[in-house]
Amino acid sequence: KASPDHSSWIKACHYELDMLSDYRSFNLVPLPSGCNSIGTRWVFDIKYDDEGNISRYRARLVAQGFSQKPGVDYLPLETFAPVALIESVRGIAAIAAIKDWEIHVIDVKSAFLNSDIPKGQKLYVKQPPGFEVPGKEDWVWELLKGLYGLKQAGRLWYDKLVQCLTSLGFKVCDSDPCVFIRHSSNGTLII
C-alpha cells in the first residue's frame, strides 16, 4: 500500500483473476483430507512501449511448483515439453526467404490457461495471496487448467497445441516435434 503504483498493481491483479475466471481455470473447494495444496504467488512486471513509457502493469499468478510432490502432483514423464530446434527455425526462415513466403507469428494470450488438467488428476493450489474469499480462507482452488509455475504446465500446453494443430490437418515433423507441416488443397506446403 506504500507504493505510489498500488492501485495499478491491484487493477493488474484483478485483471489476472478475471482472466483465470473467464478461462474457467479452477473451482473453489475445501481441501480434501490427505491432499497436498501447492502455494501460489504473484509475479509483477511493468510493460513499456517503444518510447520507454509505461504501457501497462502486469500481474501473473503462478503456482509454486517447487512444492509439488513427484508421483502425487505430477509424474516425472509429464514434465518434458519440447522446444523448437534453432536449426529448424533457421531452416524454415531460409526456405521462406528462398520461396519469398510471408512468415506470420502469433502469440497465444495466457497460453497455459488453454490447456486442461487431465481427467482423474487432481491438483490443488492455495488461493491467491491477498485475494482469499472471506469466510473460506482455508479453501483451495482445484485446478482445471494449467497454471504457470506447475512442473507439468509446459507439457500440458504442448499436448493441447498438438491436439489443435493435428485437428486442422497438420502433422508433427519426425525430426523436430515443434515443427508441424500441412499440405493445402492447392499443394502449398504450410509449416
Side-chain angles (χ1 to χ4, degrees):
K1 292 186 179 186
S3 168
D5 299 328
H6 176 73
S7 63
S8 297
W9 291 120
I10 293 297
K11 184 178 175 184
C13 289
H14 282 290
Y15 178 83
E16 175 76 355
L17 291 172
D18 288 345
M19 186 170 305
L20 289 164
S21 180
D22 290 348
Y23 277 84
R24 294 182 177 92
S25 302
F26 64 91
N27 288 324
L28 183 64
V29 298
L31 181 65
S33 64
C35 291
N36 181 40
S37 68
I38 302 159
T40 57
R41 68 181 294 260
W42 290 103
V43 175
F44 299 102
D45 190 22
I46 297 176
K47 302 292 184 180
Y48 296 93
D49 63 19
D50 295 337
E51 297 172 4
N53 301 314
I54 295 175
S55 62
R56 73 181 182 129
Y57 290 80
R58 178 72 169 110
R60 173 165 281 148
L61 183 69
V62 299
Q64 294 176 319
F66 60 82
S67 66
Q68 287 183 265
K69 296 178 181 172
V72 175
D73 299 316
Y74 69 96
L75 296 174
L77 294 177
E78 295 174 341
T79 60
F80 173 76
V83 176
L85 300 169
I86 190 65
E87 295 82 2
S88 297
V89 174
R90 287 181 182 148
I92 292 167
I95 292 168
I98 291 167
K99 297 197 173 266
D100 197 30
W101 288 348
E102 288 184 25
I103 294 180
H104 298 271
V105 179
I106 63 167
D107 182 19
V108 178
K109 188 175 182 181
S110 298
F112 288 2
L113 297 182
N114 290 288
S115 58
D116 301 312
I117 301 293
K119 292 194 184 317
Q121 186 177 15
K122 299 289 186 183
L123 283 174
Y124 303 96
V125 296
K126 294 179 178 156
Q127 294 182 60
F131 294 89
E132 295 86 356
V133 174
K136 297 182 178 180
E137 293 85 358
D138 59 335
W139 285 33
V140 295
W141 285 3
E142 176 187 1
L143 289 180
L144 306 174
K145 303 284 185 175
L147 190 64
Y148 288 90
L150 291 174
K151 291 191 178 286
Q152 66 268 50
R155 181 56 185 224
L156 293 172
W157 166 238
Y158 175 76
D159 290 344
K160 182 67 168 192
L161 185 64
V162 169
Q163 175 190 350
C164 290
L165 291 175
T166 55
S167 74
L168 294 171
F170 284 85
K171 298 205 181 323
V172 178
C173 182
D174 291 334
S175 59
D176 187 337
C178 291
V179 174
F180 297 83
I181 299 170
R182 187 183 91 178
H183 292 276
S184 67
S185 58
N186 68 0
T188 304
L189 179 66
I190 302 171
I191 302 175

